[in-house]
Amino acid sequence: MSTQYSISDLAKEFDVTPRTLRFYEEKGLISPSRDGQTRSYSSADRTRLRLILRGKRLGLTLEESAEIINMYDAGAGSKKQIQTLIEKIREKQQQLLEQQKELKLMLTDLRNAEKRCLEALD
Amino acid sequence: MSTQYSISDLAKEFDVTPRTLRFYEEKGLISPSRDGQTRSYSSADRTRLRLILRGKRLGLTLEESAEIINMYDAGAGSKKQIQTLIEKIREKQQQLLEQQKELKLMLTDLRNAEKRCLEALD
DNA sequence: TTTTAGCTTTACGTTTACGTAAACGTAATA
DNA sequence: TATTACGTTTACGTAAACGTAAAGCTAAAA
C-alpha cells in the first residue's frame, strides 16, 4: 500500500489542529478515504493541504484556494470547461502580480521607515 | 486651510463604505478631526487609509497594518522604543519576503496549470 | 415648507475559519 | 481491568471586519 497519513500526522506536520482538517473536509477541500471509521489521508490529500495553506499565507480565502486547487486537478473536462479554467487561471495570475507590486511598495516603505529610525538614533 | 475630505469623499476615492471608515476610527486606525459633529479627514488621514488598504490587499489584519503604520509615524520616541520598532520592522520585512517566495511558487504552479490546460486542448 | 441628501450614534446581524466541549467508540498500556 | 491516547460526530461559541437598520440632526434644493 502507498503511504497514508492519520489526521494527527498531517496536523503535526503542517502545524494545524485536527479540527482544521475536519473543517476543510466539511467544506469539500479535502476528501480523505476511510479506514473503517477513521480518516486516512493519501499523499494527494497531503498535497492539497499544502496548497490550501500556501493560499492562506497569501491571504486567499478557502474558497479561492479551492478554486485554484481544482485548476491544478483539471486535466479532463470539455474544451469549453478548459478554456474557462484558463481564463480563471490568468485572472488569478493577474491578481497575484498586483499583489506582488503592493508587496514591493510596502517593502520599500518599510526600508525607508527603518532608515529614518536608524537616523533618529544619533 | 489645507485640503480636508468628507467621509464620503474618501469612501468614494478608495471604494469603501463610510461604515468602513467609522469602523477604522473605532479601532483607532484613523482619527479624523471634527467639523462640529462631522468627520473631517486630513491628507495625513488619507495616507493612513491608503496604507491600511494596501495592507489588506496583502492579507494583513487591521491590527498588523496599524502596527506597520505606527512604524512610519515613529520619528520621536526614546532610543529603546526606536530599537524595538526597528526589530519589528525587520520582522515584518522578513514576513513579507517569505510571502514573496510563496507568491512566486504559486505563480509558477499556475503557469504550469495553464500550460497543461493548453496542451489538453489538442 | 417639505423633501432630499448627507451626516451622526447605537446596536444587532453576518460571514469566515476555526475553537471548544460534550458524549461516545476503540485499542494499547499500566 | 482501568486508564490513557486517539479517533469519531454534533453542536454551540468566538474573533475579525464589516453590513444593515433604526432614529435623529442639519442644510440645501424643490
Side-chain angles (χ1 to χ4, degrees):
Chain A
M1 54 183 160
S2 54
T3 33
Q4 292 291 117
Y5 308 85
S6 78
I7 193 169
S8 52
D9 284 345
L10 284 192
K12 277 171 195 161
E13 177 176 356
F14 290 98
D15 197 31
V16 297
T17 68
R19 173 69 177 107
T20 299
L21 295 178
R22 295 194 191 101
F23 179 75
Y24 290 168
E25 181 175 352
E26 191 185 323
K27 290 293 162 182
L29 290 167
I30 312 181
S31 301
S33 58
R34 300 300 168 116
D35 197 357
Q37 166 106 313
T38 67
R39 290 164 174 76
S40 179
Y41 295 82
S42 70
S43 60
D45 294 328
R46 186 165 160 274
T47 297
R48 289 180 78 87
L49 178 57
R50 195 176 51 239
L51 292 176
I52 294 168
L53 297 178
R54 177 178 298 165
K56 282 208 61 177
R57 285 190 290 275
L58 290 177
L60 304 187
T61 68
L62 292 184
E63 210 178 321
E64 288 175 314
S65 290
E67 219 178 275
I68 291 187
I69 290 172
N70 292 331
M71 291 174 192
Y72 295 133
D73 292 355
S78 75
K79 285 194 182 180
K80 197 153 194 179
Q81 282 176 331
I82 295 182
Q83 278 171 334
T84 305
L85 264 182
I86 292 182
E87 275 173 40
K88 286 207 171 191
I89 288 176
R90 290 187 174 155
E91 236 175 70
K92 201 60 83 175
Q93 283 180 349
Q94 210 46 49
Q95 285 176 27
L96 290 183
L97 288 173
E98 298 263 345
Q99 197 169 334
Q100 213 168 25
K101 278 187 200 168
E102 304 273 357
L103 210 153
K104 282 184 184 172
L105 280 176
M106 189 158 253
L107 271 173
T108 302
D109 285 355
L110 275 181
R111 292 208 180 89
N112 288 338
E114 186 183 357
K115 206 173 161 189
R116 282 207 313 278
C117 277
L118 285 172
E119 286 168 1
L121 272 185
D122 296 346
Chain B
M1 50 180 162
S2 55
T3 33
Q4 293 291 116
Y5 308 85
S6 78
I7 193 169
S8 53
D9 284 345
L10 284 192
K12 277 170 196 163
E13 178 176 355
F14 291 97
D15 197 31
V16 297
T17 68
R19 172 68 176 108
T20 299
L21 295 179
R22 295 193 191 101
F23 178 75
Y24 290 167
E25 180 175 354
E26 192 185 322
K27 290 291 162 181
L29 290 167
I30 313 181
S31 301
S33 56
R34 299 299 168 118
D35 197 356
Q37 166 105 314
T38 68
R39 281 162 246 262
S40 179
Y41 294 83
S42 70
S43 61
D45 294 327
R46 186 165 161 274
T47 297
R48 288 180 78 87
L49 178 58
R50 196 177 49 238
L51 292 176
I52 293 169
L53 296 178
R54 175 178 299 168
K56 282 208 63 178
R57 285 191 291 274
L58 291 178
L60 304 188
T61 67
L62 293 183
E63 211 178 322
E64 288 175 314
S65 290
E67 221 178 275
I68 291 187
I69 291 172
N70 292 333
M71 292 173 191
Y72 295 134
D73 292 355
S78 74
K79 285 193 181 182
K80 196 154 195 178
Q81 282 175 331
I82 294 181
Q83 278 171 334
T84 304
L85 266 181
I86 290 182
E87 275 173 41
K88 287 206 170 192
I89 288 175
R90 289 185 175 159
E91 235 175 72
K92 201 59 84 175
Q93 283 180 349
Q94 209 47 50
Q95 284 175 27
L96 290 184
L97 288 173
E98 298 263 344
Q99 196 169 334
Q100 211 168 26
K101 277 186 201 170
E102 303 271 357
L103 211 154
K104 281 183 185 173
L105 280 177
M106 189 159 253
L107 271 174
T108 302
D109 287 352
L110 275 181
R111 292 207 181 90
N112 289 337
E114 186 184 356
K115 205 173 162 189
R116 282 206 312 277
C117 277
L118 284 173
E119 286 168 359
L121 272 184
D122 295 346

